[in-house]
Structure formats: structure tokens, C-alpha cells
Amino acid sequence: MLTQTSPGTTRDALAGLIPVSIITGFLGSGKTTLLNRLLKRPEMNRVAVIVNELGEIGIDNDLVEVSSEQMMLLNNGCLCCVLRGDLQETLRDLFIKRRNGEIIDFDRVVIETTGLADPAPVMQTLITDALLLEQYRLDCVVTLVDAVNAPGQLVQFTEPVKQVALADRLVVTKSDLVTEKQLAALTARLREINPRAPVKIALNGEVELSFLVDVGLRRANARLEEVERWLGAGEDDEHGHAHRHDATVQTFVLRFDQPLPWEAFTQCLEVLTALRGPDLLRVKGLVNVAGKTGPLVVQGVQHLFHPPLELTAWPGTDRTTRLVFVTRGIPRETVADLFKAIGAVTAGRPA
């Protein structure tokens, strides 16, 4: 059962939490190149970078000032940490060392996954671990896509499809090695898989920093543009259904004009996760719960959900419930019918 979290009267539940960005992408997509470019920027001089030892570890030698078996201090002020064990332990260890003054006072974490990694478990770690929830927040998932090899990879392998589907931001690399027609076809393919994630073309491994950071909600009194940036802008907003869909992965939005009883909403999610948890790739949105002043922020990855957080107020005049679903083999109609059926059952119960 999802447990509601209300905004504190003296402390914003989101303010002060360290944002975590996940950089993922299939083998050879250029994750380390992008990371090196980012670390050279003055605005990124207090970042803790976590890389998996099985990944493409290639932090520029020019950036390395001091190194140890597991951590290396970069001369721009950043810290690089090699993940050899459990991600939860690594994040906890980093925070404890930061609090004790043993390492830099980092204000952001970037996790680089391996090329074959499923980003879902990393996301689940951040949204479900009780200790980490008090210190960190998931900011965004950035997926890099190799313009040369991605068309074949998206057909042959399941990992890159899921990496694209779970992304908040998509970055296409090696665009100079393909024709404009090939690039347009790849961009169209990415939008079929994930129509709500903005796509940027990296030039020489460079992408505007504003495209990659501060995507997630940073405070409980979020502004409208911050919520829209987090939810993403897809072509399905007008009518509440997807105009495009992939053979295996679908992205769609459900809208509800009337406030939802919390019991009915949680029962719908519990039924979905119990029956199709592995195929419920990602859910995020704002829920208008009966009796609440502000909306509840909901986000989950497969069968695990972040404790819902109540915003202090609605960030605009639109008070409809908006839920973004990324599913594998679960059509929109199935989810919509479930909400309708459970809503009808709970509405018939005595108060």
C-alpha cells in the first residue's frame, strides 16, 4: 500500500535533497565522452560521479588529481567513485563521508551505468530505500543513443529499447557519421518508443547543461513549468491517448477530471503491479486526491513506488489527474478499464 507523505510545515520535503542523474546508453554510445565534457564545465565542479567498474571507465587523465583504490579526486573539484559493490552502500558511504568532511561537499551525483545495464534497478534504489530518500532525489535519466549503431541495436537487443523508454532526456551521439535522412529516421524511431522525452543531438559530445540537469521536482511548491518539464511534453496531451506506439513499449497518459479516492487509486496500482509489475516500466504524474489541497506526486518503476509526496498547492489552474505510463505490452485501454472498474466498485461502498 502506498503511504502518503504530506508537505512539512517547517521543512520542504524536497528542498536540500541531493539530485541524482543517471546516464545510461548501450555499448559505445558515448557516455564517458559526455561525462568528461560535463565535468570540465565550471558549473559542475562539485559533483560526485559513480561509475561501474564493468563500464567504460575513462575519466580523462588530465582531470585526475589524486586517486585511490575506489575514489579519485578530480582537479576541477569533483569526486569520482568506482562502484564495486552495492549502490545503496556506495551512496550511503558517500553521504556519510560528505557529512563528516572527509570528501568534497558535493551538490549533485551522476551515475554512469554499464552499456548493458537496465537503469530500472538504479532508479528503484533511489525511490525505495528509506535512508537514501532522506538525502537524495532522482533528478533524471539521460539515455545516450549511438546514431550509427542504434537502428540495428533497437531491433536486435531489448536493453537499448528499455533504456530509451525509461529516459527523461535522449541524447543522440555520432550524428556526424550518418546522413540527415538516417538521423531523421532514428529520431522518429526514438519518438515512437518514448514520445515524451525531448531529443537533443550532441555535437562533439557537447549538450547544453540545462537540458541534462534540474529535470525533476526540486521543491514542494513547484512552479507550473517545473512540473511540465518533469512530466515531459508529448503529443498525447491533447486527447489523453498516444498517437504513436512501439510494438513492445507504449507511452500514454491517463487523465481524470474528478478527484480520485486515495483507496481506489492505490488499489489500481496494487493490482497493476501484482499482475504486470515487470511490464509497468515507469509511472509518474500528479494525482488529485479527494480532500487534499495540493496534488500528490507519484512515481514508480515496475513494482516499486516512491512514497507519494503532496505538493503545497496546484502549480496552475489545471487540477486534473495526469499519469504518464511507460509499459511493455500493456495497452492504454487495459489500464484505463482497470481504473474505471475499481473506481466504480469503491464508489459503491458505504462511507
Side-chain angles (χ1 to χ4, degrees), residues 224 228 255 257 288 313-322:
L224 179 60
E228 291 178 341
R255 287 178 175 267
D257 295 329
N288 185 348
W314 282 88
T317 57
D318 184 0
R319 299 199 172 192
T320 59
T321 292
R322 286 157 279 171

Side-chain angles (χ1 to χ4, degrees), residues 10-250:
T10 58
R11 179 179 178 273
D12 189 325
L14 289 173
L17 299 183
I18 301 170
V20 180
S21 300
I22 301 170
I23 297 181
T24 188
F26 205 59
L27 297 168
S29 58
K31 297 183 294 296
T32 301
T33 300
L34 176 68
L35 192 53
N36 282 322
R37 296 285 196 276
L38 292 177
L39 292 179
K40 290 178 179 178
R41 302 188 183 188
E43 311 97 301
M44 298 286 283
N45 64 352
R46 290 171 55 199
V47 176
V49 181
I50 299 176
V51 294
N52 194 297
E53 66 174 347
L54 298 176
E56 305 168 44
I57 301 175
I59 301 298
D60 280 351
N61 291 333
D62 292 342
L63 286 175
V64 179
E65 182 178 283
V66 179
S67 64
S68 65
E69 182 180 353
Q70 187 175 359
M71 295 185 183
M72 50 187 169
L73 182 65
L74 309 180
N75 62 18
N76 68 340
C78 293
L79 176 76
C80 184
C81 178
V82 179
L83 176 63
R84 290 200 172 98
D86 186 79
L87 178 60
Q88 292 167 296
E89 293 179 3
T90 300
L91 286 168
R92 291 172 185 170
D93 187 47
L94 279 174
F95 184 82
I96 291 171
K97 283 182 166 58
R98 172 184 181 267
R99 183 183 59 191
N100 295 339
E102 299 175 38
I103 58 175
I104 63 168
D105 185 22
F106 59 87
D107 58 11
R108 182 176 299 276
V109 174
V110 176
I111 301 173
E112 179 189 350
T113 72
T114 69
L116 293 173
D118 179 352
V122 180
M123 301 167 69
Q124 291 171 343
T125 296
L126 291 168
I127 67 176
T128 59
D129 184 276
L131 294 177
L132 297 183
L133 283 172
E134 295 180 358
Q135 315 299 344
Y136 299 98
R137 61 176 175 83
L138 175 61
D139 185 39
C140 65
V141 177
V142 178
T143 297
L144 273 62
V145 180
D146 177 350
V148 176
N149 297 303
Q153 292 169 344
L154 291 170
V155 174
Q156 186 176 2
F157 302 100
T158 59
E159 293 91 350
V161 174
K162 191 170 183 182
Q163 290 168 352
V164 170
L166 290 175
D168 297 293
R169 296 289 184 269
L170 293 168
V171 176
V172 177
T173 61
K174 305 180 185 179
S175 60
D176 57 318
L177 302 179
V178 298
T179 65
E180 290 188 9
K181 184 177 181 180
Q182 290 172 321
L183 187 60
L186 175 59
T187 301
R189 179 75 178 101
L190 297 178
R191 286 175 174 157
E192 286 180 351
I193 299 172
N194 189 341
R196 303 187 69 82
V199 180
K200 282 281 187 181
I201 309 299
L203 300 176
N204 299 318
E206 293 278 0
V207 178
E208 297 93 335
L209 184 62
S210 60
F211 183 73
L212 304 174
V213 300
D214 296 332
V215 175
L217 299 180
R218 293 176 288 172
R219 51 189 179 177
N221 60 336
R223 298 193 301 270
L224 179 60
E225 57 268 26
E226 294 173 333
V227 172
E228 291 178 341
R229 179 177 168 88
W230 174 61
L231 287 177
E235 292 188 7
D236 50 353
D237 283 337
E238 182 179 354
H239 303 293
H241 63 275
H243 294 277
R244 299 187 177 110
H245 64 86
D246 182 71
T248 56
V249 175
Q250 298 188 45

Side-chain angles (χ1 to χ4, degrees), residues 281-318:
L281 301 184
R282 192 172 185 186
V283 180
K284 62 179 179 178
L286 300 182
V287 183
N288 185 348
V289 176
K292 293 292 182 181
T293 302
L296 290 189
V297 175
V298 173
Q299 58 177 323
V301 182
Q302 294 179 311
H303 63 287
L304 298 175
F305 277 78
H306 189 290
L309 170 74
E310 183 183 355
L311 297 184
T312 55
W314 282 88
T317 57
D318 184 0

